[in-house]
Amino acid sequence: MSTYVSDDLRLQLNAARLAALKKVSRLRVHVGEARYPVLRRWSNGFSVEEETAPMLRGLVDLYDGERHLYQCLIIASESGAGERRYEYKRSTAATDKAPLDHYREITAPAGLLPRD
């Protein structure tokens, strides 16, 4: 039995695999105003489609739909099979509140009303 796969068949299989990954993922990477779909994500990086996304580097934002997940400092690690993989140098979880500079008691009031 031969394990040879023609170039045409290999390209078609790779295109089908990338299309399936794009359908499943809601993740997007934002670089300024540009947005690129994330194909896969793992603990220390992610991958994007090699043909549609330019070579990314530096500070990017990672979104799940419209929800901001992380602000990441990235470097390109490798390319292959239609994907470009990036690794995090730093990944900071995004929050919708500013950090407190003091300890807040659990029983503290939410706000104070004026006397007048």
Side-chain angles (χ1 to χ4, degrees), residues 39-105:
L39 299 177
R40 294 183 299 131
R41 183 174 165 260
W42 52 93
S43 63
N44 62 342
F46 64 90
S47 69
V48 296
E49 190 173 5
E50 189 173 23
E51 292 180 8
T52 60
M55 184 65 114
L56 303 175
R57 184 178 178 168
L59 200 58
V60 298
D61 294 307
L62 195 61
Y63 282 81
D64 180 9
E66 292 298 319
R67 189 168 54 106
H68 191 193
L69 297 176
Y70 297 99
Q71 188 176 49
C72 311
L73 186 60
I74 61 168
I75 56 170
S77 64
E78 60 185 42
S79 294
E83 292 181 81
R84 185 171 286 132
R85 293 168 199 72
Y86 296 94
E87 291 182 3
Y88 303 134
K89 286 181 100 176
R90 176 183 64 84
S91 177
T92 305
T95 61
D96 58 351
K97 297 184 246 176
L100 293 176
D101 58 351
H102 62 282
Y103 176 73
R104 184 176 201 78
E105 294 287 336

Side-chain angles (χ1 to χ4, degrees), residues 9-25 38-40 42 47-51 79-85:
L9 182 59
R10 183 178 49 79
L11 289 174
Q12 289 177 1
L13 287 172
N14 194 30
R17 181 183 63 81
L18 289 175
L21 285 172
K22 278 197 270 188
K23 269 187 192 177
V24 171
S25 179
V38 173
L39 299 177
R40 294 183 299 131
W42 52 93
S47 69
V48 296
E49 190 173 5
E50 189 173 23
E51 292 180 8
S79 294
E83 292 181 81
R84 185 171 286 132
R85 293 168 199 72

